Amino acid sequence: MKTVAQLLSALCALCFLLFHSPASAAEPAKKVLYIGIDGTRFDAIEKAATPNLDALMVNGIHSPACLILGERYQKNDTISGPGWSSILTGVWADKHGVHDNSFTGRNYADFPHFFARLKEVRPNAKTASFVTWKPIAEYITSAADVNQNFEEKEKGSVADYDRYDTQATDAAVKHITEANPDALFLYIGQVDVAGHTHGFHPAVPEYVAAIERADKLVGRTLAAVKGRKTFAEEDWLVVVTSDHGGQGKGHGGGHKTPEILNSFLIVSGAAAKRGTFDEQVYLVDAPVTVLAHLGVKPKDEWKLDGRAAGLK
Ligand SMILES: [Zn+2]
């Protein structure tokens, strides 16, 4: 007959196996869903019915006034070329070199997309980008395992961009479901097009409606993330921002216009703080936050302007 001590020792061995097996001891895999919604004013998000963005804010931290120009440098125009360059590289325009939508002067060789920085540190990391503004795919995105543009023709209608955005989202959802990305970027373009066509303002129904459609696309990507077979073993950070606001039917030359200068920033997930940012945040903080969640500590020689914001 076994002694009590022997039984206890057998039980402890079993417990050890159960709780210390490699699968249960593993850290959750850190992953990022990075969503950019072009030309989106936060006061219009507040006006719109946006249950998915609202849920991200409840489960994270946000700023209704994320500045699109830095304290240090503000000579670039307040438009998409410089904006998305800052959002994807973590540096201001004097470094990435993009001052307008011509992309002349671009210096992504020295200041690359954050995918390149991620791969520099973690060569096996998987990255994917789905956009509906061609210059991003053509000029900015590097080190992506998947790099797809869905904009068929420049300056299409709101309906055209709704179709492109839906196709980009379909592709992102498929990729999230079937592949295993560590960092995935989705760009939604129709809100900016609605602003240029009808006006950037919370009182403009077409602008608000475009934000509501964008929110549904955000919801579809979030559902895909939550539907992953391995979701329970993963730690997803969701970051959402925009490249500029707007006033009237435009946003160029908005250096002194708060409605244009202020974007928003949402950092959401288990790793994010809760509430609203006390400190001023900037577009360039978004990619550095993403890198921090993915375990990448910026090197000094990268000369990043942003800093990680909103993580616990
Ligand atoms: Zn625009």
Short mmCIF file of all heavy atoms in Angstrom, two decimals, residues 85 89 91-99 103-113 117 139-140 142 302-303:
data_model
loop_
_atom_site.label_atom_id
_atom_site.label_comp_id
_atom_site.label_asym_id
_atom_site.label_seq_id
_atom_site.Cartn_x
_atom_site.Cartn_y
_atom_site.Cartn_z
N SER A 85 3.11 58.65 -44.24
CA SER A 85 4.55 58.39 -44.07
C SER A 85 4.92 58.44 -42.59
O SER A 85 5.66 57.59 -42.10
CB SER A 85 5.37 59.41 -44.86
OG SER A 85 5.10 59.29 -46.25
N THR A 89 6.22 55.23 -40.51
CA THR A 89 7.67 55.19 -40.24
C THR A 89 8.03 55.62 -38.80
O THR A 89 9.11 55.27 -38.32
CB THR A 89 8.45 56.14 -41.18
OG1 THR A 89 8.03 57.49 -40.93
CG2 THR A 89 8.21 55.79 -42.64
N VAL A 91 8.59 58.79 -37.98
CA VAL A 91 9.40 60.02 -38.02
C VAL A 91 8.64 61.11 -38.76
O VAL A 91 7.72 60.84 -39.54
CB VAL A 91 10.78 59.80 -38.70
CG1 VAL A 91 11.61 58.78 -37.94
CG2 VAL A 91 10.63 59.39 -40.17
N TRP A 92 9.04 62.37 -38.53
CA TRP A 92 8.42 63.51 -39.20
C TRP A 92 9.03 63.72 -40.58
O TRP A 92 10.03 63.10 -40.94
CB TRP A 92 8.56 64.77 -38.34
CG TRP A 92 7.82 64.69 -37.03
CD1 TRP A 92 8.37 64.76 -35.79
CD2 TRP A 92 6.40 64.53 -36.83
NE1 TRP A 92 7.39 64.66 -34.83
CE2 TRP A 92 6.17 64.51 -35.43
CE3 TRP A 92 5.31 64.40 -37.69
CZ2 TRP A 92 4.89 64.37 -34.88
CZ3 TRP A 92 4.04 64.26 -37.14
CH2 TRP A 92 3.84 64.25 -35.76
N ALA A 93 8.41 64.65 -41.32
CA ALA A 93 8.69 64.81 -42.75
C ALA A 93 10.11 65.26 -43.08
O ALA A 93 10.60 65.00 -44.17
CB ALA A 93 7.69 65.78 -43.37
N ASP A 94 10.80 65.93 -42.14
CA ASP A 94 12.19 66.31 -42.46
C ASP A 94 13.05 65.06 -42.57
O ASP A 94 14.08 65.07 -43.25
CB ASP A 94 12.77 67.28 -41.42
CG ASP A 94 12.74 66.74 -40.01
OD1 ASP A 94 11.89 65.88 -39.71
OD2 ASP A 94 13.58 67.17 -39.20
N LYS A 95 12.62 63.96 -41.96
CA LYS A 95 13.38 62.71 -42.06
C LYS A 95 12.85 61.81 -43.19
O LYS A 95 13.62 61.42 -44.07
CB LYS A 95 13.34 61.97 -40.72
CG LYS A 95 14.06 62.72 -39.61
CD LYS A 95 13.97 61.96 -38.29
CE LYS A 95 14.58 62.79 -37.16
NZ LYS A 95 14.34 62.19 -35.84
N HIS A 96 11.54 61.50 -43.20
CA HIS A 96 11.05 60.62 -44.29
C HIS A 96 11.00 61.35 -45.63
O HIS A 96 10.90 60.71 -46.68
CB HIS A 96 9.74 59.92 -43.94
CG HIS A 96 8.56 60.81 -43.67
ND1 HIS A 96 8.07 61.71 -44.58
CD2 HIS A 96 7.75 60.90 -42.58
CE1 HIS A 96 7.00 62.32 -44.08
NE2 HIS A 96 6.79 61.86 -42.85
N GLY A 97 11.05 62.67 -45.58
CA GLY A 97 11.24 63.45 -46.81
C GLY A 97 9.99 63.70 -47.64
O GLY A 97 10.08 64.31 -48.71
N VAL A 98 8.83 63.26 -47.17
CA VAL A 98 7.60 63.42 -47.96
C VAL A 98 6.84 64.64 -47.44
O VAL A 98 6.32 64.63 -46.33
CB VAL A 98 6.72 62.16 -47.88
CG1 VAL A 98 5.42 62.36 -48.66
CG2 VAL A 98 7.50 60.96 -48.43
N HIS A 99 6.78 65.70 -48.28
CA HIS A 99 6.14 66.94 -47.86
C HIS A 99 4.77 67.15 -48.49
O HIS A 99 4.02 68.03 -48.10
CB HIS A 99 7.06 68.13 -48.17
CG HIS A 99 8.19 68.24 -47.20
ND1 HIS A 99 9.28 67.40 -47.22
CD2 HIS A 99 8.38 69.06 -46.13
CE1 HIS A 99 10.09 67.71 -46.22
NE2 HIS A 99 9.57 68.70 -45.54
N PHE A 103 5.52 62.78 -53.38
CA PHE A 103 6.49 61.80 -52.85
C PHE A 103 7.91 62.04 -53.34
O PHE A 103 8.79 61.21 -53.12
CB PHE A 103 6.06 60.35 -53.13
CG PHE A 103 4.91 59.90 -52.27
CD1 PHE A 103 3.60 60.21 -52.62
CD2 PHE A 103 5.14 59.19 -51.10
CE1 PHE A 103 2.54 59.82 -51.82
CE2 PHE A 103 4.09 58.79 -50.28
CZ PHE A 103 2.78 59.10 -50.64
N THR A 104 8.15 63.19 -54.00
CA THR A 104 9.53 63.50 -54.37
C THR A 104 10.27 63.82 -53.07
O THR A 104 9.69 64.39 -52.15
CB THR A 104 9.61 64.73 -55.30
OG1 THR A 104 8.89 65.80 -54.68
CG2 THR A 104 9.01 64.46 -56.67
N GLY A 105 11.52 63.43 -53.00
CA GLY A 105 12.28 63.67 -51.77
C GLY A 105 12.12 62.58 -50.74
O GLY A 105 12.69 62.64 -49.65
N ARG A 106 11.34 61.56 -51.05
CA ARG A 106 11.11 60.48 -50.07
C ARG A 106 12.42 59.78 -49.73
O ARG A 106 13.26 59.54 -50.60
CB ARG A 106 10.08 59.48 -50.60
CG ARG A 106 10.51 58.75 -51.86
CD ARG A 106 9.36 57.89 -52.38
NE ARG A 106 9.72 57.12 -53.57
CZ ARG A 106 9.65 57.59 -54.80
NH1 ARG A 106 9.27 58.83 -55.05
NH2 ARG A 106 9.99 56.81 -55.83
N ASN A 107 12.57 59.48 -48.46
CA ASN A 107 13.79 58.82 -48.00
C ASN A 107 13.44 57.64 -47.09
O ASN A 107 13.78 57.62 -45.91
CB ASN A 107 14.70 59.83 -47.27
CG ASN A 107 16.00 59.19 -46.82
OD1 ASN A 107 16.35 58.09 -47.26
ND2 ASN A 107 16.72 59.84 -45.93
N TYR A 108 12.72 56.69 -47.67
CA TYR A 108 12.35 55.51 -46.91
C TYR A 108 13.53 54.54 -46.78
O TYR A 108 13.45 53.56 -46.05
CB TYR A 108 11.16 54.78 -47.54
CG TYR A 108 9.92 55.63 -47.66
CD1 TYR A 108 9.31 55.82 -48.90
CD2 TYR A 108 9.36 56.25 -46.55
CE1 TYR A 108 8.16 56.59 -49.03
CE2 TYR A 108 8.23 57.03 -46.66
CZ TYR A 108 7.63 57.20 -47.91
OH TYR A 108 6.50 57.97 -48.03
N ALA A 109 14.62 54.84 -47.53
CA ALA A 109 15.82 54.00 -47.38
C ALA A 109 16.39 54.18 -45.97
O ALA A 109 16.73 53.22 -45.29
CB ALA A 109 16.85 54.38 -48.43
N ASP A 110 16.44 55.43 -45.52
CA ASP A 110 16.98 55.69 -44.17
C ASP A 110 15.89 55.61 -43.09
O ASP A 110 16.19 55.35 -41.93
CB ASP A 110 17.62 57.08 -44.12
CG ASP A 110 18.90 57.15 -44.94
OD1 ASP A 110 19.55 56.08 -45.09
OD2 ASP A 110 19.23 58.22 -45.46
N PHE A 111 14.64 55.90 -43.50
CA PHE A 111 13.54 55.89 -42.53
C PHE A 111 12.40 55.01 -43.06
O PHE A 111 11.40 55.52 -43.55
CB PHE A 111 13.07 57.34 -42.27
CG PHE A 111 14.17 58.19 -41.68
CD1 PHE A 111 14.94 59.01 -42.50
CD2 PHE A 111 14.45 58.13 -40.33
CE1 PHE A 111 15.97 59.78 -41.96
CE2 PHE A 111 15.48 58.89 -39.78
CZ PHE A 111 16.24 59.70 -40.60
N PRO A 112 12.59 53.70 -42.96
CA PRO A 112 11.64 52.78 -43.60
C PRO A 112 10.36 52.57 -42.80
O PRO A 112 10.25 52.97 -41.63
CB PRO A 112 12.44 51.48 -43.67
CG PRO A 112 13.35 51.54 -42.49
CD PRO A 112 13.70 53.00 -42.33
N HIS A 113 9.42 51.94 -43.45
CA HIS A 113 8.17 51.44 -42.85
C HIS A 113 8.53 50.63 -41.60
O HIS A 113 9.54 49.93 -41.57
CB HIS A 113 7.51 50.55 -43.90
CG HIS A 113 6.09 50.16 -43.63
ND1 HIS A 113 5.73 49.39 -42.56
CD2 HIS A 113 4.95 50.43 -44.31
CE1 HIS A 113 4.42 49.19 -42.58
NE2 HIS A 113 3.92 49.81 -43.64
N ARG A 117 11.62 47.67 -39.75
CA ARG A 117 12.26 47.70 -38.42
C ARG A 117 11.91 46.42 -37.64
O ARG A 117 12.77 45.84 -36.96
CB ARG A 117 11.82 48.93 -37.62
CG ARG A 117 12.24 50.27 -38.23
CD ARG A 117 13.71 50.31 -38.57
NE ARG A 117 14.19 51.66 -38.90
CZ ARG A 117 15.39 51.89 -39.40
NH1 ARG A 117 16.23 50.88 -39.65
NH2 ARG A 117 15.77 53.11 -39.68
N TYR A 139 4.99 53.23 -52.66
CA TYR A 139 6.17 53.93 -52.14
C TYR A 139 6.58 53.55 -50.72
O TYR A 139 7.76 53.47 -50.42
CB TYR A 139 5.94 55.45 -52.16
CG TYR A 139 5.67 56.05 -53.51
CD1 TYR A 139 4.53 56.82 -53.73
CD2 TYR A 139 6.56 55.88 -54.57
CE1 TYR A 139 4.27 57.39 -54.97
CE2 TYR A 139 6.31 56.44 -55.82
CZ TYR A 139 5.16 57.20 -56.00
OH TYR A 139 4.91 57.77 -57.22
N ILE A 140 5.58 53.41 -49.84
CA ILE A 140 5.92 53.36 -48.41
C ILE A 140 6.14 51.94 -47.90
O ILE A 140 7.10 51.69 -47.17
CB ILE A 140 4.82 54.04 -47.54
CG1 ILE A 140 4.45 55.42 -48.08
CG2 ILE A 140 5.32 54.15 -46.09
CD1 ILE A 140 3.33 56.13 -47.31
N SER A 142 7.31 48.51 -47.19
CA SER A 142 8.43 47.63 -47.48
C SER A 142 8.43 46.53 -46.44
O SER A 142 7.75 46.62 -45.42
CB SER A 142 9.74 48.42 -47.44
OG SER A 142 9.91 49.01 -46.17
N TRP A 302 18.00 54.53 -35.49
CA TRP A 302 16.78 54.66 -36.29
C TRP A 302 16.24 56.08 -36.24
O TRP A 302 15.43 56.46 -37.06
CB TRP A 302 15.69 53.70 -35.79
CG TRP A 302 16.01 52.25 -35.93
CD1 TRP A 302 17.07 51.69 -36.59
CD2 TRP A 302 15.24 51.16 -35.39
NE1 TRP A 302 17.00 50.32 -36.49
CE2 TRP A 302 15.90 49.96 -35.76
CE3 TRP A 302 14.07 51.07 -34.63
CZ2 TRP A 302 15.42 48.71 -35.40
CZ3 TRP A 302 13.59 49.82 -34.27
CH2 TRP A 302 14.27 48.65 -34.66
N LYS A 303 16.64 56.83 -35.21
CA LYS A 303 16.25 58.25 -35.04
C LYS A 303 14.73 58.45 -35.10
O LYS A 303 14.22 59.39 -35.73
CB LYS A 303 16.91 59.12 -36.09
CG LYS A 303 18.44 59.12 -36.06
CD LYS A 303 18.97 60.22 -36.99
CE LYS A 303 20.47 60.33 -36.98
NZ LYS A 303 21.13 59.28 -37.77
#
